[in-house]
Coordinates of all heavy atoms in Angstrom, one line a residue:
T14 N -31.3 7.8 2.0 CA -32.7 7.8 1.6 C -32.9 8.9 0.5 O -33.6 8.7 -0.5 CB -33.7 8.1 2.8 OG1 -33.4 7.2 3.8 CG2 -35.1 7.9 2.3
R27 N -8.4 11.2 6.7 CA -8.8 12.5 6.3 C -9.6 12.4 5.0 O -9.3 11.6 4.1 CB -7.6 13.4 6.0 CG -6.8 13.7 7.3 CD -5.6 14.5 7.0 NE -4.7 13.8 6.0 CZ -3.4 14.0 6.0 NH1 -2.8 14.8 6.8 NH2 -2.7 13.4 5.0
A37 N -34.6 10.5 -5.7 CA -36.0 10.9 -5.6 C -36.8 9.8 -4.8 O -36.5 8.6 -5.0 CB -36.6 11.1 -7.0
K42 N -49.3 6.4 -3.0 CA -50.6 6.4 -2.2 C -50.3 7.0 -0.8 O -49.1 7.0 -0.4 CB -51.1 5.0 -2.1 CG -51.6 4.3 -3.4 CD -52.2 2.9 -3.1 CE -52.6 2.2 -4.3 NZ -53.2 0.9 -4.1
S134 N -38.1 -5.1 7.0 CA -38.0 -5.5 5.6 C -38.9 -6.7 5.3 O -39.4 -6.9 4.1 CB -36.6 -5.8 5.2 OG -35.7 -4.8 5.5
I138 N -40.9 -7.5 1.8 CA -40.5 -8.6 0.8 C -41.8 -9.4 0.5 O -42.0 -9.7 -0.7 CB -39.4 -9.5 1.4 CG1 -38.1 -8.7 1.6 CG2 -39.1 -10.6 0.4 CD1 -37.0 -9.5 2.2
V258 N -23.8 6.9 23.8 CA -25.0 7.0 22.9 C -24.6 7.9 21.7 O -24.1 9.0 21.9 CB -26.2 7.6 23.6 CG1 -27.4 7.6 22.7 CG2 -26.5 6.7 24.8
I302 N -36.8 7.8 15.4 CA -37.8 8.7 15.0 C -37.8 8.7 13.4 O -36.8 9.0 12.8 CB -37.6 10.1 15.5 CG1 -37.4 10.1 17.0 CG2 -38.8 11.0 15.1 CD1 -36.9 11.4 17.6

Side-chain angles (χ1 to χ4, degrees):
T14 310
R27 297 173 302 206
K42 295 181 181 181
S134 312
I138 297 174
V258 180
I302 306 171

